[in-house]
């Protein structure tokens, strides 16, 4: 079955430092991979996706993610974190008609 | 038009009561999804509607859960005889069509608390 794993529960980073949120995947065939962000008391917002093409995908709010087939990873990155980036981040993979989500990572950006 | 909307935003109910949650998808979106998000956990797929096709109900956790959708419009998720373990945020999402099912747009959710 298609699945993703987010190995960390919480990521703490100082404002201005690089931010990385990890995701690994397990799929049969070519993966369709996504990142979503959830701000407090709000629904999920789409950040970016990888379907095919360049391994480095750029998305909203300055985020990017790198698809690495050999490591079966799709880590989310931002060069310089903002306090406003503090939120819950979900990695997901297309699994048939639905998305299969990871458990989420809480990101805390410290001023 | 506007994004996905859900109502109510919060619902507190007593154990054993029935509840009905509503989702208004983005106009023109043919696919609609319901997910459940328990505290500290990821999203759990519940049910998927695509146009007039038979819904994919494979994620519904028990026969107390049911959902309906008329055409490509509003959907309601009904939970009968609620239990405390049903307490969660219920999220609805919609997407344009089957081939773009991965671009899902989410509503703000309904927070259900069963006391």
């Amino acid at each position: 079955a298609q699945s993703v794993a987010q190995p960390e529960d919480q990521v703490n980073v100082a404002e201005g430092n690089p931010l990385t949120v990890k995701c690994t995947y397990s799929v049969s065939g070519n993966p369709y991979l996504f990142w979503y962000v959830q701000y407090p008391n709000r629904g999920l917002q789409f950040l970016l996706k990888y379907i095919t093409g360049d391994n480095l995908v750029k998305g909203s709010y300055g985020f990017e993610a790198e698809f690495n087939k050999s490591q079966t990873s799709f880590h989310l990155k931002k060069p310089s974190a903002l306090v406003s980036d503090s939120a819950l981040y979900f990695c997901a993979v297309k699994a048939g008609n639905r998305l299969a989500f990871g458990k989420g990572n809480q990101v805390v950006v410290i001023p | 038009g506007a994004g996905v909307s859900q109502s109510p935003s919060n619902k507190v109910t007593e154990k054993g009561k029935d509840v009905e949650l509503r989702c208004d998808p983005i106009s023109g979106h043919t696919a609609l999804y319901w997910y459940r998000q328990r505290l500290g956990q990821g999203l759990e797929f519940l049910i998927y509607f695509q146009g007039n096709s038979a819904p994919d109900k494979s994620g519904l956790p028990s026969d107390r859960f049911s959902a309906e959708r008329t055409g490509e419009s509003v959907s309601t998720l009904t939970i009968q005889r609620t239990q405390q373990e049903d307490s969660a945020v219920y999220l609805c999402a919609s997407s344009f069509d089957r081939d773009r099912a991965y671009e899902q747009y989410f509503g703000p959710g309904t927070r259900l608390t069963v006391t």
Side-chain angles (χ1 to χ4, degrees):
Chain A
Q2 321 286 64
S3 66
V4 291
Q6 297 180 247
E8 301 164 316
D9 289 329
Q10 181 163 314
V11 175
N12 295 326
V13 62
E15 186 177 22
N17 281 4
L19 169 63
T20 298
V21 189
K22 296 180 179 178
C23 174
T24 57
Y25 65 88
S26 174
V27 304
S28 55
N30 295 321
Y32 290 5
L33 295 159
F34 313 91
W35 277 100
Y36 282 80
V37 60
Q38 185 177 33
Y39 297 102
N41 300 315
R42 298 180 65 178
L44 276 69
Q45 294 181 33
F46 172 79
L47 276 179
L48 51 78
K49 66 178 186 271
Y50 172 82
I51 305 298
T52 187
D54 290 343
N55 289 340
L56 186 63
V57 178
K58 293 187 182 297
S60 307
Y61 312 123
F63 284 93
E64 58 187 29
E66 185 170 10
F67 172 68
N68 187 318
K69 189 171 183 178
S70 63
Q71 298 185 3
T72 62
S73 68
F74 189 58
H75 301 333
L76 181 70
K77 299 180 181 181
K78 186 169 184 178
S80 177
L82 302 173
V83 172
S84 57
D85 293 327
S86 298
L88 192 55
Y89 290 79
F90 290 95
C91 182
V93 63
K94 187 174 183 293
N97 294 326
R98 68 194 72 166
L99 295 180
F101 287 85
K103 65 179 176 60
N105 281 130
Q106 184 67 49
V107 169
V108 177
V109 181
I110 303 163
Chain B
V4 177
S5 62
Q6 293 185 247
S7 61
S9 55
N10 282 284
K11 176 71 176 178
V12 180
T13 189
E14 293 180 352
K15 177 181 174 180
K17 300 281 189 181
D18 297 352
V19 295
E20 189 174 277
L21 313 180
R22 176 186 170 107
C23 172
D24 283 90
I26 293 173
S27 177
H29 279 193
T30 57
L32 186 146
Y33 307 78
W34 283 98
Y35 294 89
R36 177 169 69 178
Q37 184 179 21
R38 288 179 162 144
L39 185 64
Q41 299 186 23
L43 274 68
E44 176 187 5
F45 168 79
L46 296 178
I47 189 169
Y48 160 71
F49 295 92
Q50 170 60 44
N52 294 318
S53 302
D56 177 357
K57 304 179 180 180
S58 59
L60 295 178
S62 77
D63 59 7
R64 296 187 295 106
F65 288 71
S66 63
E68 294 183 350
R69 186 185 188 198
T70 303
E72 298 178 357
S73 61
V74 170
S75 175
T76 55
L77 176 70
T78 302
I79 309 173
Q80 296 178 310
R81 305 182 302 282
T82 52
Q83 303 294 314
Q84 288 184 332
E85 61 262 29
D86 298 335
S87 296
V89 176
Y90 289 82
L91 291 165
C92 175
S94 70
S95 65
F96 179 64
D97 61 32
R98 186 190 303 268
D99 291 338
R100 298 183 186 181
Y102 44 87
E103 291 187 22
Q104 296 181 20
Y105 296 84
F106 283 81
T110 293
R111 182 175 299 278
L112 175 65
T113 304
V114 182
T115 60

